Amino acid sequence: MRVRLKVNGEDRAIDVPDQRLLVDTVRYDLGLTGTKLGCGVGVCGLCTVLVDGKMVSSCLMLTALVDGATITTIEGLEHDGQLDPVQTAFLKYGGFQCGICTPGQIMAAHALLQENPHPSDAEIKDWMMGNLCRCTGYYKILESVQRAAAGDV
Amino acid sequence: MIPFELHTPTTLDEALGLLAQYGDEARPIAGGTALVLLMEQHQGRPAHLVNLGRVAGLSGITTENGSLRIGAGTPHRLVEMNPAVKQGWSLLAETYARVATVRIRNVATVGGGLAHADPNQDPPPSYIALNARVQIASRQGTREVAMEDLFRDYYETQLQPGEVITEVVVPRPIASLRTAYLKFLPRTADDYPTVGVAVALDVQDGRCVAARIALNAVGPTVVRAREAENVLRGQMLNPDLLREAAATVPAITDPISDHRGSANYKSRMAEVFTRRALERALAA
Ligand SMILES: Cc1cc2nc3c(=O)[nH]c(=O)nc-3n(C[C@H](O)[C@H](O)[C@H](O)COP(=O)(O)OP(=O)(O)OC[C@H]3O[C@@H](n4cnc5c(N)ncnc54)[C@H](O)[C@@H]3O)c2cc1C
Ligand code: FES
Ligand code: FES
């Protein structure tokens, strides 16, 4: 079917099979490969994108179900060469090592700060618990989110 | 995924018409968090999916004559965040907040969660404890069932082909009702429960006037612990009585051994967590 999306600020119309997953649309139909596919079953958070501002697992979402929606991916956080504060914080405070989980971590953290600009540590942990990381041990991720929230970037 | 044809009706009548027309070949789809997974794993291959996401009036939370009405299309996250739910039905807000992660709760709907009927799911015990009812519609008309009668077996409800859940109705808990939902999570904070227990006790002057207790993850469907309720009803509450009530629970469990624990372990934990849920409700 023909699906209309506003992707990172740009209107797009694409033809996809009804069974197309949003993660495949983002990566292959739109060429935005910053979004990663990990578990494919909604558990790891690698495929996190925002649909109308809400974070979702794009690996469990049919593209056809979000017809008309605004999609934000990791590529959409930068504006005119300016990174999002969360991105800057991850760079500055070592919020990543191998980087595979990072686009998902940053999308989740960005969504958190949009909804709750000054989260407590417990709120950050609760929100981010579905974004797995095998490298950092999470402390640096937590610190990066805290710093971004504090404007300390 | 096996190809299918997606239909996107905008009215309930139209949706029910499509489901009637395609019969066994069709399934409703709401958030898709459960159904997409099943289809990816080739455990279901409906030729037609009827998208409930654009059906007018299926989503939203209202209070009417003191009852809470939650539209089937309402995402979990909206239930958990809703001020009226938090204030008057806090057990539900707390229970939905324990389901998976925010990412899943943004998409998973109340109706989809119930129709999925995985006995490990969190919300059903709390709904049963609060005596909730489920509204069902089909081309033949509408009917209502008690939440505790909805579930038949693993992943099976009493919904017939062509029927959809439209709403859940939850009476307002009376002021003397003490509630709790306890979820045992030995693995990760976003897991399904190893066992989960919801309790609602009407306590007046230290005496238990009425009790409703239900458990998930201990058998093919969520179960109501009627024996435990009988032990409590009409009695002055004390720690020994709570212990005695909880001790009746293992007998009604029929869990499977899996990565969350052996069947025996789950039965034993069902007793422990029932006792703790009762204590928690009374402490609140
Ligand atoms: C990673 C992950 C973790 C999870 N963890 C938990 C957890 O900790 N606790 C928990 O309780 N649950 C958990 N779940 C399950 C989750 O609650 C369900 O996937 C979700 O509620 C299903 O809702 P949906 O709207 O996405 O349904 P869908 O996937 O769209 O549909 C599910 C089923 O319901 C049917 N259906 C949908 N809407 C209706 C309707 N209105 N009337 C009749 N039939 C309908 C569909 O045909 C399908 O059979 C988890 C799921 C995932 C993916
Ligand atoms: S790839 Fe989607 S949550 Fe893991
Ligand atoms: S940085 Fe490697 S998995 Fe998170």
Side-chain angles (χ1 to χ4, degrees), chain A residues 42, chain B residues 27-28 30-35 100 108-109 112-113 115 121-122 164-165 183 191-192:
Chain B
R27 287 276 283 277
T33 58
L35 192 53
T109 66
Q121 285 177 278
D122 294 293
V164 300
I165 296 174
K183 178 175 185 178
D191 199 9
Y192 288 90

Side-chain angles (χ1 to χ4, degrees), chain A residues 1 18-19 21 40-45 48 54-57 59-62 64-67 115 127 129-131, chain B residues 1 3-6 29-33 36-37 40-41 51 54 77 81 100-104 106-107 189-190:
Chain A
M1 76 177 256
D18 287 358
Q19 73 271 17
L21 293 173
V41 294
V43 172
C44 75
T48 305
K54 303 235 173 296
M55 64 169 175
V56 311
S57 281
C59 68
L60 289 181
M61 179 57 81
L62 295 178
L65 294 187
V66 297
D67 184 22
E115 188 169 313
W127 183 279
M129 76 180 172
N131 286 81
Chain B
M1 209 182 318
F4 51 79
E5 195 183 336
L6 182 75
I29 182 164
T33 58
V36 167
L37 255 183
E40 284 272 291
Q41 295 164 353
N51 175 12
R54 309 288 160 109
R77 180 77 177 158
M81 303 295 285
T101 54
V102 175
R103 222 176 42 236
I104 300 295
N106 276 337
V107 178
D190 61 351

Side-chain angles (χ1 to χ4, degrees), chain A residues 36-108:
Chain A
K36 307 301 179 196
L37 178 66
C39 67
V41 294
V43 172
C44 75
L46 257 65
C47 67
T48 305
V49 302
L50 309 190
V51 174
D52 292 331
K54 303 235 173 296
M55 64 169 175
V56 311
S57 281
S58 59
C59 68
L60 289 181
M61 179 57 81
L62 295 178
T63 303
L65 294 187
V66 297
D67 184 22
T70 295
I71 309 291
T72 311
T73 69
I74 187 73
E75 290 87 350
L77 292 193
E78 173 235 301
H79 293 289
D80 305 323
Q82 278 286 105
L83 293 180
D84 185 88
V86 176
Q87 291 175 301
T88 311
F90 270 68
L91 280 168
K92 198 162 164 190
Y93 299 104
F96 61 93
Q97 290 179 22
C98 81
I100 188 76
C101 73
T102 314
Q105 302 285 0
I106 289 177
M107 293 314 291

Side-chain angles (χ1 to χ4, degrees), chain B residues 8-94:
Chain B
T8 301
T10 54
T11 66
L12 184 60
D13 269 355
E14 213 186 318
L16 297 175
L18 286 160
L19 288 169
Q21 179 183 345
Y22 295 111
D24 282 347
E25 297 272 87
R27 287 276 283 277
I29 182 164
T33 58
L35 192 53
V36 167
L37 255 183
L38 290 177
M39 291 191 303
E40 284 272 291
Q41 295 164 353
H42 295 202
Q43 291 188 42
R45 45 181 74 189
H48 297 271
L49 285 188
V50 177
N51 175 12
L52 301 180
R54 309 288 160 109
V55 171
L58 210 55
S59 173
I61 299 173
T62 55
T63 53
E64 197 185 288
N65 301 328
S67 287
L68 179 72
R69 308 186 79 97
I70 309 176
T74 312
H76 286 30
R77 180 77 177 158
L78 292 189
V79 182
E80 151 199 1
M81 303 295 285
N82 183 278
V85 179
K86 279 194 197 174
Q87 200 252 322
W89 289 263
S90 58
L91 180 66
L92 286 184
E94 284 158 21

Side-chain angles (χ1 to χ4, degrees), chain A residues 114-127:
Chain A
Q114 293 289 107
E115 188 169 313
N116 180 359
H118 301 290
S120 66
D121 287 1
E123 286 170 332
I124 298 174
K125 287 183 186 169
D126 187 59
W127 183 279

Side-chain angles (χ1 to χ4, degrees), chain A residues 128-139:
Chain A
M128 302 288 296
M129 76 180 172
N131 286 81
L132 306 185
C133 177
R134 296 289 83 150
C135 298
T136 62
Y138 299 102
Y139 289 102

Side-chain angles (χ1 to χ4, degrees), chain A residues 129, chain B residues 76 91-101 104-105 113-114 116-129 147 151 180-185 188-199 214-217 222 260:
Chain A
M129 76 180 172
Chain B
H76 286 30
L91 180 66
L92 286 184
E94 284 158 21
T95 304
Y96 274 108
R98 306 301 305 278
V99 174
T101 54
I104 300 295
R105 300 202 295 276
L114 295 173
H116 184 48
D118 176 341
N120 297 319
Q121 285 177 278
D122 294 293
S126 295
Y127 276 129
I128 292 172
M147 184 66 73
F151 306 100
Y181 174 63
L182 224 64
K183 178 175 185 178
F184 179 36
L185 285 170
T188 61
D190 61 351
D191 199 9
Y192 288 90
T194 291
V195 302
V197 191
V199 305
L215 294 94
N216 55 27
V222 50
R260 294 192 185 90

